[in-house]
Amino acid sequence: MSAPGIDLVAAPRGARDLVLLAHGGMENSTADPHSWRAPILRMWPFAAVARKAAPGVAVGLMRYRYQGWNGAAADAAADLRTVLDRLVSGPPRFDRVILIGHSMGGRAVVAAGNHSLVSGVLGLAPWLPEGEPLVRLRGPVAFAHGSADRITSPHGTAAYTKRLRAEGIPVALLTLPGEKHAMLHRAPDWNRIVRDFVTHTVNGTESTGMSFTTADHTDEVPHPHSGDAAPAAIADIARTRLTLRVTERL
């Protein structure tokens, strides 16, 4: 069993902000989460998007000990909090960390989203089961979910959003009609969500895309693209994984 860590794919000199991407996994498994599994590979294009959106920011991918969440152990969340604690004193030392997580990773970034370093939380098709503990997330906070997701529940995400808002925590909730859990069929829209969230959170300004400042209602992300983007998205995953390099392992 290896210790949890971060694979940096961008580390500009003097960077004090980090975009940290947490991939999905399984409900229960203590198997090694090797780096060529589909849930990890799916995050690589988002790393490239984040790097382009904020060139002066470090970008990294979370490295868990196990493939699974594993019940009360909540291993993915525990691993994420461990690496955040480590970053407080460094090296390297970051002032702010923006968390972006998909599926199990979405659950992990929510669970750790009250850490003192966190300055933004984006959940992509997050796994938020009924009764999930309410965490006072450090914003901006946004969730995005495909309406045709059968792996994690868009209704669960909406319910958790409602609970957060009832506690006075603003949350932007985005729905993608027709999209499934792997985020492939509407890949350009997912890339745009990541790009615009990073731009907004890092710079405190809106990009030319969607807004995250109005966070008291649910927005439907329009589908301006014709056809199914999945084949191009799979090619993009392969291309990004082969061309984007890990510069440092923390």
Side-chain angles (χ1 to χ4, degrees):
M1 178 185 68
S2 59
I6 302 171
D7 289 336
L8 289 178
V9 296
R13 184 181 298 274
R16 301 311 297 264
D17 294 338
L18 168 68
V19 175
L20 181 55
L21 297 123
H23 64 80
M26 302 173 66
E27 184 171 355
N28 294 290
S29 174
T30 56
D32 175 27
H34 59 84
S35 60
W36 290 93
R37 293 174 56 246
I40 304 175
L41 294 174
R42 183 62 188 92
M43 303 305 287
W44 279 77
F46 296 142
V49 167
R51 194 169 77 156
K52 185 175 181 180
V57 171
V59 179
L61 295 111
M62 181 65 199
R63 200 170 62 246
Y64 307 123
R65 292 170 297 158
Y66 307 120
Q67 291 185 21
W69 182 265
N70 302 324
D75 285 315
D79 288 353
L80 178 54
R81 193 168 286 276
T82 294
V83 301
L84 290 172
D85 287 343
R86 193 185 305 154
L87 293 175
V88 170
S89 56
R93 184 171 181 176
F94 295 104
D95 296 327
R96 301 190 302 170
V97 178
I98 299 158
L99 298 178
I100 301 175
H102 172 233
S103 192
M104 183 186 77
R107 190 178 185 182
V109 301
V110 167
N114 61 350
H115 192 279
S116 61
L117 280 184
V118 173
S119 64
V121 176
L122 173 60
L124 307 174
W127 173 28
L128 295 171
E130 184 178 356
E132 187 70 3
L134 194 67
V135 178
R136 296 198 65 83
L137 302 176
R138 297 167 63 90
V141 180
F143 297 140
H145 219 126
S147 65
D149 194 330
R150 298 295 179 266
I151 305 299
T152 60
S153 170
H155 300 293
T157 298
Y160 197 85
T161 298
K162 184 177 180 180
R163 291 170 60 200
L164 286 172
R165 289 172 175 171
E167 292 297 317
I169 302 170
V171 184
L173 179 59
L174 309 172
T175 63
L176 289 82
E179 180 59 297
K180 299 180 181 180
H181 189 66
M183 307 181 295
L184 295 173
H185 301 286
R186 297 187 56 176
D189 297 314
W190 292 103
N191 288 344
R192 184 162 60 97
I193 289 169
V194 170
R195 181 200 69 197
D196 291 357
F197 185 80
V198 169
T199 299
H200 171 67
T201 307
V202 170
N203 301 323
T205 59
E206 300 295 341
S207 71
T208 56
M210 63 190 65
S211 171
F212 294 99
T213 57
T214 302
D216 59 354
H217 63 279
T218 301
D219 288 328
E220 185 174 290
V221 180
H223 197 339
H225 313 286
S226 59
D228 185 354
I234 293 170
D236 186 43
I237 291 169
R239 180 172 56 253
T240 306
R241 182 62 183 88
L242 293 174
T243 57
L244 192 61
R245 301 296 184 185
V246 174
T247 61
E248 187 177 356
R249 291 170 67 88
L250 303 179

